[in-house]
Each structure stands twice: as C-alpha cells, then as structure tokens.
C-alpha cells in the first residue's frame, strides 16, 4: 500500500490518507463513526477508488480500481463499508455519532434504517439528545408496532386471496353457464332465425372481442411498467448496488418477468391457432389458396 500511495497525485489526498492509515494498527478504531463513514462516502461518490486501476501491490498483484478492491486494501469488506455509508445517509452525522457513543450496533442500525421516515425522524431527535434508554425503548416500540401491523396486513391479504379464489371460481362457473347457454341459443337461432339476421351480430362480437383483447394486453403493458419501477426501487434501496458491477435481482422478480413473458406467448399462440382454424375452414372466403395459406402459417 505504501508503493500504491506514493504513486497517487496530490488531488487524491483522501485516498492516500485512508490507505496510509490502514497500515497503522487500530487506526480505524480511533476514527469516529461519522468521520470514517464520511471519508468512505466521499471516495465512493467521487469514484476516487478508480485511480487504483493499473497499480500494483507489493506482492505484484495488479489492481483493477474497483470499490470492493479499495475496501479490501483498507482491511474491511465492501458490505461493511456500504453499511457505514448507508447509516450516515439515513441518520446524519450528529445522530449517528451519538448512537455510536451509545454503543448501538450494526444490527440495530439496520433495523432503524428500515423504519418509516416519520419514525426514523423521531429516533434521530432522541439520539441527538443522547438518551440511550429512551432511544432503545422508542425503537423497540416502533419495531413491535410495525411487526404487528405487518402481521395484520398479512392476515388481511390472506383473507383477500381466499375471497379472490372463491370469486374466481364463481366467475368461472358463471362463464361456463353463459357458454352453455350461448351454444343452446346458437342452435336455436340456426333453426329459427334467417341467415342475414344471424350475421348481424358478427361485427358487434368482433368489436367487443377486440376491445377485450386490447384491455388484457394493456394489463400486461402496465405490469411491465410496474416491474421496471420496482427494479429501480430495488437498486435505490440496496446500499451495495453499483451500476458498474453485475447485479442479480431476486429470484421472485425473475419469476414474475417469466410469467408475463409466458402469458403474452400463450395469447400469441392461441391467436395463431384460431387464425389457422379460420383459414382452414374458410380459405376461399379469405381469398387464399392452400399454398398461400401454408406459407403464411409457416411465417408465424
């Protein structure tokens, strides 16, 4: 690190300072929580760690200039460094310094960061006052309250899902009844209603069906937009996210994307199958000969 440090220009003094202090025993223990986090945050936001690229360590290892590499040279994991930065941004210097003096650990700070903004603001004010007992008591109250509300929402959601399943079954039964009735009605019309009158409803049925299909496809488009927004939220809420590094979204997110893709594919396959059925039965009416029809289907 001494070799690397000597190669930096003067406008990278902070990186030099951190690398130099990393060589001293217990150097970081002498830092206050806020000073340490503030220096790390400055280096990361300004991407000063990139200046390590191409340099070599005393053992001959060539550096790539990544954030993880820089943290490793400091003797800490990038996860811990990201946690420190996230704590600084969430609580501010004064409150974080106070909580650090109180002995509030990483596990507690991680829990506090997840609190709603109004509750987090209340904790910050108590932390600034320096009353650890009041801070811990208030935090535990907030956490317990949120856990209770979450459990209640989970229960309500479970009930809603049960109601939805029951309603879906009822709708399916009604749809089946309507289909059976429509078949019977069509059979009756074929026997009693003149041909021209029976063809009058074709235009309306086609128009209504197109409207229904457009509505369903719009639902898919809306789902895609919502997933994109959720993706950005995941990036913003993950302190370890770095757009310059590979990032894997949760498996459940990928499953949702695949479900949408499968749904669209199913609609496409069904549309092609129906079109093929129509063309098979009414090739002449569509102005196609058999060879043209087979060619068109092959292109699909």
């Amino acid at each position: 690190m001494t070799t690397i440090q000597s190669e930096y220009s003067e406008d990278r003094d902070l990186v030099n300072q951190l690398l130099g202090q990393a060589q001293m025993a217990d150097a970081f223990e002498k830092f206050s929580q806020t000073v340490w986090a503030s220096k790390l945050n400055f280096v990361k936001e300004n991407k000063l760690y990139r200046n390590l690229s191409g340099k070599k360590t005393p053992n001959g290892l060539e550096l790539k200039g990544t954030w993880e590499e820089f943290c490793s040279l400091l003797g800490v994991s990038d996860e811990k460094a990201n946690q420190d930065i996230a704590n600084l941004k969430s609580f501010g210097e004064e409150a974080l310094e106070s909580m650090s003096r109180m002995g509030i650990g990483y596990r507690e700070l991680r829990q506090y960061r997840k609190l709603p903004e109004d509750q987090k603001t209340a904790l910050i004010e108590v932390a600034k006052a320096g009353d650890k007992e009041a801070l811990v008591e208030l935090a535990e109250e907030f956490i317990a309250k949120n856990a209770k509300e979450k459990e209640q929402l989970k229960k309500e959601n479970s009930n809603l899902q049960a109601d939805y399943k029951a309603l879906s079954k009822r709708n399916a039964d009604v749809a089946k009844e309507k289909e059976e009735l429509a078949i019977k009605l069509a059979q009756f019309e074929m026997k009693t209603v003149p041909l021209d009158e029976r063809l009058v409803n074709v235009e309306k049925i086609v128009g209504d069906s197109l409207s229904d299909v457009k509505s369903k496809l719009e639902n898919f488009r809306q789902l895609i937009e919502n997933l994109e927004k959720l993706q950005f939220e995941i990036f913003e809420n993950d302190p370890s996210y770095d757009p310059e590094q590979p990032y894997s979204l949760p498996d459940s997110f990928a499953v949702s994307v695949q479900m949408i893709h499968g749904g669209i594919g199913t609609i496409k396959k069904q549309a092609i199958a129906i079109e093929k059925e129509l063309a098979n039965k009414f090739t002449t009416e569509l102005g196609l000969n058999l060879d043209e029809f087979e060619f068109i289907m092959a292109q699909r």
Side-chain angles (χ1 to χ4, degrees), residues 135-166:
L135 175 68
V136 173
E137 183 177 344
L138 182 61
E140 289 177 349
E141 178 184 337
F142 285 155
I143 293 171
K145 177 184 176 183
N146 294 337
K148 184 177 180 180
E149 290 177 352
K150 184 177 181 180
E151 186 62 31
Q152 180 63 29
L153 287 174
K154 184 177 179 181
K155 182 178 179 181
E156 292 176 358
N157 183 56
S158 178
N159 293 336
L160 286 174
Q161 288 183 353
D163 293 341
Y164 175 76
K165 289 181 180 179

Side-chain angles (χ1 to χ4, degrees), residues 220-235 249 252-261:
F220 277 106
R221 190 192 65 78
Q222 188 62 50
L223 279 174
I224 293 170
E225 286 189 2
N226 291 341
L227 280 180
E228 184 181 31
K229 292 177 182 178
L230 180 57
Q231 181 187 49
F232 290 145
E233 289 180 11
I234 292 173
F235 292 160
L249 290 165
S252 57
F253 191 96
V255 169
S256 297
V257 174
Q258 292 165 9
M259 286 178 62
I260 294 175
H261 185 263

